[in-house]
Amino acid sequence: MLKRTNNCGQLRSNDEGKEVVLAGWVQSYRDHGGLVFIDLRDREGITQLVFNPETNPEAHEIARDIRTEWVIAARGMVRHRTEGMENPKMATGEIEINVCELEIFNKALTPPFEITADEKISVNEELRLKYRYIDLRRPRMQEIMRVRNRTTSIVRRYHQEHGFYEIETPVLGKSTPEGARDFLVPSRLSAGSFYALPQSPQLFKQILMISGMDRYLQIPKCFRDEDARADRQVEFTQIDVEMSFIDMDDIIAITENCFAQVWKEILDVEISLPLPRMSYRQAVDDYGVDRPDTRFEMLLKDITDIAGECEFKVFTNTIKSGGIVKGLCATGAGSYSRSDIEKGLTGFVADYGARGLAWFKVVAGEDGTKTELASSIAKFFSPDQRQEIIQRFEAAPGDLILLVADTADVVNKSLAPLRCKLGVDLGLVSNDQYNFVWVTDFPLFEFNKDENRWDSLHHPFTAPIPEDLDKLDSDPAGICSQAYDIVLNGNEVAGGSIRIHQPEVQAKVFKLLGISDEEAETRFGFFLEALKYGTPPHGGIAWGLDRVVMLLTGTDNIRDVIAFPKTQRGQCLLTEAPTAVNEDQLEELHLHIRQKGPK
Ligand code: AMO
């Protein structure tokens, strides 16, 4: 067997005269009657092979039959291409290999789609996922896997240098409360009992702190049975970190330095540290969401005070029933047509629950000096009110003010994506800009009206700030947590918190979450007990590795950064998992299927 000496992306003109063996897949072939040219591809690039019937008739004869994606090796001499035949677009474009020996390792069926160097591929994604091994041969996918590998190796090295131990935690475990549905695995040996796949290693990493491991790192798989989205998979990977005897600033420092190192080494982008911080309140007020895209301004403004005094019933009625009126000023969007606004934008916010989108165009006043608001609802506002609105939004002629009146929740949930959409549509965001921000000072709880109880904003092990400990009894809504999320260009890329390390505080929090003593004992008894055996103050964070790689490689599809991802319906199109299993297996697992099909 010909033994490879070099890869297909490596050779340059100063290698001229070297004898090499390259191995890989046939990207393309051209038979010019006389010479045969083959572009050979491996993970590192493409090199042109030349077969000459005069000098090497045997290799030339075999080469004539070769087709795309066959796997071959070729021995030959590196030589400079004939003048004028160089290809400046290829890294190896100055040279070619004059082949004297050829070995075919394997033929290949005609691939279901072409493997091109293009970043975008027009092939439908289902076909790509079914033939993932072909898809992964594309240079773009190989580049993404390279970035993913570099990211994990930088992160591992960094944490090793900072005294972290890499420790694995079980995959077959007990349900952990990260808020999603669990994937369950039936036990053969304990009839009727189930393991849960970890939604994250949260409790184990805390127990490792109780065990005195001091600093923990793991790059674990996490499983959450929730609807997949563009940035969400049912099975995804975290970079999971926990530390003892630290406070929030220590974790923030360790994390942001690591992010900066990844960005420097992979993108050669200098991230200026320390990263800015923003309170949860400010994020929601100004951006409508706790993961603000700070690459552009266009901040949301609340005009409930002005709207409450106007004659526009939609606004006044909403405010009377406890709602708010908030909006944004889209700079330069005054040229949008009525249909752009009423179909395009109103339709867009409707998907987020907004029942309408009121708008004003900002125009120069009739006397040419005073700025005015123009729209069918302008008449419901007094001239003073209109000026106040202009001032609040710092609006100028040519702008478009867009307003939503509803409950605070609907207003923020619809304006936040509208702001991001306009940021893209108006060309305000650049993909080469990396705006990191820490969001801090989250409330510990939010009230769940449907269930009439408090829910954790992060998870139940998040500590309140020490000053707010007394509020556990008196004012749960007013408690500020020691949680922090790191947000990049509007994406939550990591989140964590300082943990509760006192058993009595943990018990109180469970109570507020509506978890009875009995339930706490069944679900987390082992953990509550562990807390009582000498728990250090500790805290940690988990990065969403897949999201980080998405941002590093500029893709908006999480499936692009996972070698073997699942579809929206949680299926692996390559292996066709999940599949039915036979009766014997079910029997062994003490299971009986009552009905088929999704619930
Ligand atoms: P959290 O649930 O915020 O925290 O997860 C941490 C990070 O993981 C990413 N992430 C996801 N990525 C892809 N698909 C998903 N379904 C998905 N869900 C979350 C996000 C998120 O910021 N145990 C805590 C961490 C801690 O407190 O230390 C936890 O899991 O980028």
Side-chain angles (χ1 to χ4, degrees):
M1 186 180 108
L2 280 177
K3 275 290 244 212
R4 175 168 72 175
T5 59
N6 292 77
N7 67 51
C8 296
Q10 200 176 14
L11 299 167
R12 300 289 182 270
S13 52
N14 58 4
D15 293 301
E16 220 178 331
K18 257 190 210 163
E19 192 188 82
V20 296
V21 177
L22 303 185
W25 287 259
V26 173
Q27 172 72 29
S28 60
Y29 56 88
R30 297 178 303 284
D31 189 342
H32 285 184
L35 300 177
V36 169
F37 292 93
I38 285 182
D39 277 350
L40 190 65
R41 184 192 72 240
D42 69 10
R43 198 179 70 180
E44 309 300 326
I46 290 180
T47 297
Q48 175 167 288
L49 310 177
V50 188
F51 299 82
N52 187 330
E54 315 262 303
T55 49
N56 293 294
E58 206 180 316
H60 176 265
E61 199 47 39
I62 311 174
R64 295 192 66 185
D65 293 332
I66 285 178
R67 292 297 173 259
T68 51
E69 298 313 310
W70 286 25
V71 189
I72 64 170
R75 185 167 65 81
M77 199 74 88
V78 181
R79 71 174 184 207
H80 205 282
R81 290 193 192 185
T82 321
E83 217 175 308
M85 302 305 278
E86 296 95 341
N87 182 351
K89 286 192 198 138
M90 281 171 84
T92 59
E94 288 194 336
I95 56 103
E96 61 190 10
I97 311 296
N98 185 22
V99 179
C100 58
E101 188 184 351
L102 173 66
E103 185 172 347
I104 296 175
F105 292 128
N106 243 321
K107 296 182 177 181
L109 296 176
T110 306
F113 49 88
E114 204 190 335
I115 293 149
T116 66
D118 304 343
E119 188 163 310
K120 290 256 178 283
I121 179 167
S122 53
V123 177
N124 98 26
E125 203 186 358
E126 282 187 14
L127 197 65
R128 286 177 54 202
L129 293 176
K130 178 167 157 59
Y131 294 96
R132 191 58 160 178
Y133 40 90
I134 306 282
D135 192 38
L136 287 169
R137 284 183 201 165
R138 293 193 300 121
R140 167 68 171 156
M141 296 305 282
Q142 304 228 327
E143 171 60 18
I144 291 175
M145 290 303 136
R146 178 162 36 241
V147 168
R148 191 174 173 115
N149 169 59
R150 287 189 64 200
T151 307
T152 50
S153 56
I154 296 165
V155 165
R156 284 206 162 92
R157 190 189 65 216
Y158 174 92
H159 285 88
Q160 288 291 338
E161 283 166 8
H162 287 83
F164 286 77
Y165 286 179
E166 193 164 350
I167 304 178
E168 288 152 280
T169 54
V171 168
L172 294 178
K174 197 168 163 160
S175 173
T176 47
E178 297 285 353
R181 216 177 278 117
D182 283 322
F183 280 101
L184 297 174
V185 181
S187 157
R188 177 176 59 86
L189 297 175
S190 311
S193 293
F194 293 81
Y195 301 99
L197 302 184
Q199 292 188 32
S200 86
Q202 185 61 37
L203 290 179
F204 281 113
K205 68 173 174 171
Q206 290 192 238
I207 290 174
L208 285 170
M209 296 304 101
I210 302 175
S211 317
M213 291 298 159
D214 205 88
R215 290 180 168 212
Y216 143 96
L217 168 75
Q218 184 180 197
I219 304 190
K221 272 304 188 73
C222 300
F223 305 87
R224 299 185 187 178
D225 189 0
E226 55 191 358
D227 293 339
R229 288 202 208 135
D231 68 348
R232 224 190 230 184
Q233 277 272 299
V234 290
E235 183 182 342
F236 68 99
T237 309
Q238 289 186 345
I239 292 168
D240 198 35
V241 169
E242 197 76 7
M243 302 165 78
S244 294
F245 306 111
I246 41 73
D247 62 17
M248 176 168 122
D249 288 337
D250 297 311
I251 296 179
I252 283 188
I254 281 279
T255 309
E256 63 184 25
N257 274 294
C258 191
F259 265 97
Q261 194 145 337
V262 169
W263 253 251
K264 176 73 198 154
E265 286 190 39
I266 293 181
L267 297 179
D268 198 21
V269 167
E270 229 36 90
I271 302 293
S272 144
L273 298 179
L275 296 177
R277 296 188 196 182
M278 188 186 293
S279 72
Y280 168 82
R281 193 63 268 151
Q282 189 192 341
V284 173
D285 285 350
D286 290 351
Y287 299 87
V289 67
D290 57 3
R291 40 186 175 78
D293 187 341
T294 56
R295 284 175 298 175
F296 62 103
E297 284 278 314
M298 215 198 281
L299 302 184
L300 309 186
K301 304 280 176 195
D302 192 319
I303 63 152
T304 311
D305 54 333
I306 309 171
E309 306 287 316
C310 75
E311 306 283 321
F312 185 41
K313 287 274 176 296
V314 175
F315 283 4
T316 49
N317 288 342
T318 304
I319 295 167
K320 268 187 213 136
S321 55
I324 62 167
V325 182
K326 208 169 157 180
L328 55 81
C329 174
T331 314
S335 56
Y336 277 32
S337 68
R338 179 178 275 257
S339 124
D340 289 338
I341 303 170
E342 295 186 352
K343 290 213 183 91
L345 304 181
T346 310
F348 179 83
V349 291
D351 289 345
Y352 298 91
R355 283 165 299 172
L357 186 67
W359 54 273
F360 294 112
K361 288 193 174 182
V362 186
V363 293
E366 272 170 16
D367 59 2
T369 51
K370 213 167 175 198
T371 305
E372 253 305 348
L373 295 179
S375 103
S376 55
I377 62 163
K379 58 178 182 276
F380 297 119
F381 293 80
S382 71
D384 281 352
Q385 288 167 344
R386 296 202 293 265
Q387 289 309 313
E388 274 187 74
I389 293 175
I390 290 169
Q391 273 171 18
R392 178 99 20 120
F393 284 103
E394 294 172 35
D399 294 349
L400 175 70
I401 295 177
L402 297 159
L403 299 165
V404 177
D406 216 305
T407 59
D409 192 45
V410 169
V411 166
N412 287 322
K413 283 199 173 122
S414 54
L415 285 176
L418 177 65
R419 178 181 169 275
C420 291
K421 173 185 164 51
L422 289 167
V424 173
D425 293 354
L426 298 171
L428 305 177
V429 294
S430 142
N431 285 337
D432 308 336
Q433 200 182 336
Y434 299 99
N435 278 33
F436 286 93
V437 58
W438 284 103
V439 178
T440 59
D441 302 325
F442 287 87
L444 188 63
F445 300 115
E446 59 188 351
F447 197 67
N448 181 335
K449 271 194 226 125
D450 301 336
E451 308 270 334
N452 192 34
R453 61 169 162 78
W454 297 96
D455 277 343
S456 296
L457 221 74
H458 279 80
H459 51 60
F461 312 103
T462 304
I465 56 169
E467 304 83 291
D468 284 356
L469 267 175
D470 331 339
K471 293 190 190 161
L472 280 171
D473 299 312
S474 55
D475 177 21
I479 304 178
C480 181
S481 79
Q482 297 192 64
Y484 33 80
D485 283 352
I486 186 163
V487 174
L488 169 57
N489 296 356
N491 301 280
E492 183 200 311
V493 288
S497 58
I498 298 297
R499 324 297 182 188
I500 296 168
H501 65 277
Q502 312 92 324
E504 58 295 350
V505 177
Q506 188 64 73
K508 249 187 205 168
V509 167
F510 282 150
K511 207 162 256 149
L512 283 166
L513 297 175
I515 302 175
S516 67
D517 288 348
E518 208 174 28
E519 194 187 346
E521 189 50 43
T522 342
R523 286 178 66 191
F524 317 114
F526 66 99
F527 180 68
L528 287 170
E529 189 177 17
L531 278 180
K532 294 177 190 155
Y533 279 90
T535 302
H538 62 286
I541 192 158
W543 311 25
L545 172 65
D546 313 285
R547 288 189 193 169
V548 168
V549 179
M550 284 170 73
L551 287 149
L552 285 167
T553 55
T555 173
D556 52 12
N557 178 354
I558 195 167
R559 293 182 291 277
D560 282 347
V561 302
I562 298 175
F564 302 105
K566 305 259 185 312
T567 62
Q568 216 103 7
R569 294 188 47 78
Q571 289 167 322
C572 168
L573 297 183
L574 172 67
T575 62
E576 295 182 338
T579 49
V581 294
N582 65 40
E583 279 300 324
D584 296 349
Q585 282 171 298
L586 290 174
E587 184 89 7
E588 232 176 20
L589 293 168
H590 323 280
L591 294 179
H592 175 66
I593 306 289
R594 254 205 307 222
Q595 72 182 58
K596 283 200 171 134
K599 237 183 131 190

